[in-house]
Amino acid sequence: MTGTAAAARLRELHHNRKPGEALVLPGAWDPAAARAFAQAGFTALATPSAGVAASLGYADGECPADEMFAAVARIVRAVGIPVSADIERGYGLPPSEIAERLRDAGAVGCNLEDSVDGELVAAGEQAEFLAAVREALGDGPDGPFLNARVDVHLRGSEKPLEEALARGRAYVAAGADGVYPIGAPLNDLAVLARELPVPVNGLARFADGGPSVAELAAAGCARVTFGGGLAEHAYKGVREMAAELHR
């Protein structure tokens, strides 16, 4: 599912949700996984950069842009539901090319993070970058959903909640449709969800004791994703199968 109708549908799915209810977007790392999630009844997907990189034989953060966008395109073609793409911080591409490549791949949303090589980008610089991407993507009810990742809880900050709020507000003012404070604890997510005027994305930890979908939704997250966790869980199963076969 591509084009303006898919973009409008993805936007619609983020809003008008009941309290304590979140849009759950499984992270499909290849077309077979995407079909499995779609057949299970999920209404949209979010590709994980780490999972896609692993499927292509790369470490997280080392997949070339051409291969990442080609993989996203294959995932989009495999399903009839909207797909949002995790594209790290855009691979150094100018905003116009980021928008063009997303359109060519058929993705109707994207994540853009605010750190590079483990270091936070200055908030003002990131806001300007997001504004340029927003302009290139187009705005309005059928524009692609721009999800702005906030990495302060990952990268270290003396006052992570305060900085996440400041960055979140700046990114929303720049045109972000959602804010993704990755790694934020539930208490901080609850504050961010209450204070920011856009859907807040919580990261669910699959099968490792972290926040569950239900806990994140109860904290006010309107959107829940899994990062590369679902792919890693699947590959763990493959490794266990391989060890069993090799006995």
Side-chain angles (χ1 to χ4, degrees), residues 216-227:
L216 292 166
C221 294
R223 166 173 165 152
V224 173
T225 54
F226 302 85

Side-chain angles (χ1 to χ4, degrees), residues 46-146:
T47 68
S49 61
V52 172
S55 77
L56 298 173
Y58 294 99
D60 186 19
E62 296 183 2
C63 182
D66 289 349
E67 293 195 47
M68 182 63 70
F69 283 107
V72 170
R74 290 191 292 271
I75 289 169
V76 171
R77 287 197 298 269
V79 294
I81 56 178
V83 176
S84 179
D86 179 355
I87 53 170
E88 302 177 27
R89 197 177 178 265
Y91 308 102
L93 301 172
S96 59
E97 188 170 348
I98 290 173
E100 180 180 1
R101 289 196 179 209
L102 285 169
R103 282 192 290 267
D104 289 346
V108 292
C110 69
N111 282 1
L112 285 170
E113 57 198 54
D114 63 355
S115 59
V116 176
D117 297 328
E119 298 291 332
L120 284 166
V121 175
E125 179 183 345
Q126 181 68 3
E128 290 179 3
F129 174 63
L130 291 172
V133 173
R134 173 81 280 162
E135 183 178 5
L137 288 173
D139 206 348
D142 56 3
F145 192 95
L146 177 56

Side-chain angles (χ1 to χ4, degrees), residues 1 9-10 13 17 22-29 32-46 78-83 204 206 213 223-226 230:
M1 186 178 187
R9 175 59 176 156
L10 183 61
L13 288 168
R17 309 193 71 81
L23 171 63
V24 179
L25 300 177
W29 57 93
R35 284 180 177 154
F37 292 131
Q39 289 166 358
F42 288 97
T43 53
L45 302 175
V79 294
I81 56 178
V83 176
F206 187 77
V213 170
R223 166 173 165 152
V224 173
T225 54
F226 302 85
L230 301 183

